[in-house]
Amino acid sequence: MPSALESAPASPRAALSPPCPRPPAILARMLSLGDFEHAARRRLPRPIFGYIAGAAEENASRDDNRAVFDEYAFVTRVLRDVSQRSQAVELFGERYATSFGIAPMGIAALSTYRGDLVLARAARAAGIAAIMSATSLIPMEEVVQACPGTWFQAYLPGDQARIDALVERVARAGFTTLVVTVDIPISANRENNVRTGFSTPLRPSLRLAWDGLVRPRWLLKTVLPTLARHGMPHFENSFATRGAPILSSNVLRDFSARDNLSWDHLAAIRRRWQGPLVVKGILSVEDARIARQIGADGVILSNHGGRQLDGATSPMRVLARVVDTLGPAYPVMIDGGFRRGSDVLKALALGARMAFVGRPFNYAAAVAGEAGVRHAIDLLRAEIDRDMVMLGVKAWAELGRDALLHKAACRFQA
């Protein structure tokens, strides 16, 4: 597998990616990841945007994922030569250009044409990590063939035989890093999806039809090309075999019977899977310890973007304790609410090895396809670079907890 180099234009990954056409004019107005959300709201039908943006019940966990970053303030260092700085990070024997990646996002192909490929190609061109979602509408084999080095995220079926068959398929496809998401033992109460008109299975409605008609760009560039060239989208990667169409009532079978899963199932995967194994959806220090004991090569702290248990803590609130328990050499990664370079650096200062960003890259794809995702990556990398200079650090490993002050602690001491 080729390495991802610090400089994207010189990367062999970038050389393999087809050159992008002239960037869409709208990108000149996209100055931050937040700008993509506002633009995507105008471009996507309300049910599709609502599915991406919404979370569970009161959205408390989703909102806390953002609020937690405001609780930390930086302590800068000055007059330090940082002219030879690098964002590069080593992970599982691979060198990535920076310490953030693209999180797995389901049904991305409803946001933009061939969305999973769009995200993976942009990540490969930039030399960053990307995780393909199990609830994707493009066969995993197509994505990994086009973008070797992409990680695959699996939701476990409810019995060992189907788990084994899925793991075999992932290995046969050519993925080398397997991410097992463990925080969906049952479907969450996503009433916000219902309010915006989204459902599983996706049901045609007058609202969806009207939203498509008044957003002709989405209809002409995403829906019609998908149907004409690939037929009705299916959930392609939930099992070893093709799943149900997105309009079929049988879709619900793909998301059921997970409440019987246990650490024994994960241990069985560890015995079968030969490459790096990552456990995603950890919030407990004890669960992180168990994951390491059964042989997981890393963990991703996550509350599923606030889309599961509403009121679950932000991963940032448990990050330092997990790192202290597992040790700095063990890869602890994180997702949830990352929107700025400063957010990423705060996580690194608390001991994270990599931060994964989800919704903003989905919005960027909806706004301008692969060019949009590349632009979003560039924006975040530029923010990190500037912030590193102002913090006085040349590499992520120089960041420590002495670079942060928790504002509540400051008030208490005062």
Side-chain angles (χ1 to χ4, degrees):
M1 186 188 306
S3 293
L5 303 181
E6 172 70 3
S7 175
S11 168
R13 290 185 172 182
L16 291 174
S17 184
C20 280
R22 187 173 183 178
I26 192 174
L27 293 182
R29 304 198 301 273
M30 301 294 107
L31 306 181
S32 70
L33 297 192
D35 291 337
F36 282 107
E37 180 172 357
H38 301 304
R41 184 188 295 272
R42 296 191 297 269
R43 292 190 172 218
L44 289 173
R46 187 168 178 255
I48 305 302
F49 180 85
Y51 167 78
I52 301 168
E57 297 181 352
E58 301 296 325
N59 296 321
S61 290
R62 183 201 66 181
D63 295 344
D64 190 50
N65 284 349
R66 286 296 305 137
V68 68
F69 293 109
D70 291 336
E71 297 177 13
Y72 291 93
F74 286 117
V75 178
T76 62
R77 298 294 305 277
V78 298
L79 297 178
R80 296 158 69 94
D81 183 357
V82 291
S83 58
Q84 302 299 314
R85 59 192 177 275
S86 170
Q87 298 181 33
V89 60
E90 299 276 346
L91 194 60
F92 308 137
E94 183 78 6
R95 186 169 189 258
Y96 293 100
T98 190
S99 49
F100 68 84
I102 298 181
M105 290 171 283
I107 62 173
L110 291 186
S111 301
T112 192
Y113 177 67
R114 310 299 276 168
D116 301 289
L117 279 166
V118 163
L119 294 166
R121 283 197 302 257
R124 181 172 170 81
I128 71 171
I131 310 174
M132 181 184 183
S133 172
T135 53
S136 46
L137 306 178
I138 299 175
M140 66 173 76
E141 292 80 3
E142 290 187 37
V143 174
V144 75
Q145 182 178 1
C147 303
T150 303
W151 303 5
F152 183 79
Q153 172 231 20
Y155 293 126
L156 299 185
D159 64 80
Q160 193 63 56
R162 290 199 296 171
I163 292 172
D164 292 345
L166 174 60
V167 171
E168 287 179 7
R169 179 187 172 191
V170 175
R172 190 168 56 250
F175 290 93
T176 56
T177 300
L178 176 63
V179 180
V180 178
T181 293
V182 294
D183 58 357
I184 305 192
I186 192 171
S187 296
N189 180 21
R190 299 183 187 175
E191 59 197 44
N192 298 292
N193 290 352
V194 178
R195 291 191 178 96
T196 59
F198 186 89
S199 63
T200 302
L202 188 63
R203 295 186 179 91
S205 64
L206 290 176
R207 173 188 287 180
L208 184 58
W210 174 252
D211 274 359
L213 289 173
V214 299
R215 292 170 176 82
R217 182 189 300 270
W218 177 78
L219 186 65
L220 295 174
K221 293 194 173 184
T222 301
V223 178
L224 295 182
T226 297
L227 295 175
R229 299 170 190 170
H230 311 284
M232 179 60 64
H234 286 59
F235 285 98
E236 299 280 358
N237 306 304
S238 297
F239 303 118
T241 56
R242 192 183 201 195
I246 59 173
L247 300 182
S248 170
S249 59
N250 291 333
V251 161
L252 295 176
R253 295 183 309 185
D254 293 2
F255 304 101
S256 59
R258 292 177 179 149
D259 56 353
N260 66 321
L261 295 171
S262 71
W263 288 107
D264 291 338
H265 293 97
L266 202 67
I269 292 175
R270 176 68 286 178
R271 292 191 293 270
R272 179 176 294 269
W273 181 258
Q274 299 301 308
L277 175 65
V278 177
V279 182
K280 178 179 180 293
I282 298 287
L283 288 176
S284 157
V285 171
E286 183 58 28
D287 283 346
R289 183 185 291 115
I290 295 172
R292 184 183 62 177
Q293 288 174 346
I294 65 142
D297 298 286
V299 296
I300 300 177
L301 307 182
S302 174
N303 63 17
H304 216 88
R307 298 165 75 87
Q308 280 300 109
L309 175 63
D310 199 32
T313 186
S314 164
M316 282 287 290
R317 299 188 188 280
V318 299
L319 173 58
R321 282 186 289 159
V322 172
V323 171
D324 287 344
T325 299
L326 302 186
Y330 188 83
V332 176
M333 295 159 279
I334 190 170
D335 70 15
F338 289 87
R339 296 294 183 272
R340 289 284 186 179
S342 57
D343 301 337
V344 175
L345 291 172
K346 288 174 182 179
L348 297 183
L350 292 174
R353 189 72 57 86
M354 183 173 287
F356 285 94
V357 183
R359 290 179 175 99
F361 290 130
N362 202 329
Y363 296 140
V367 170
E370 185 177 341
V373 181
R374 290 192 187 201
H375 186 67
I377 292 171
D378 289 343
L379 288 174
L380 198 54
R381 286 183 65 175
E383 289 182 3
I384 291 174
D385 183 68
R386 284 192 298 269
D387 292 346
M388 287 176 64
V389 174
M390 289 183 279
L391 283 166
V393 297
K394 298 189 293 291
W396 70 270
E398 295 182 6
L399 277 170
R401 295 179 195 174
D402 56 350
L404 293 180
L405 282 179
H406 196 280
K407 296 178 181 178
C410 294
R411 288 194 296 268
F412 180 77
Q413 291 173 359

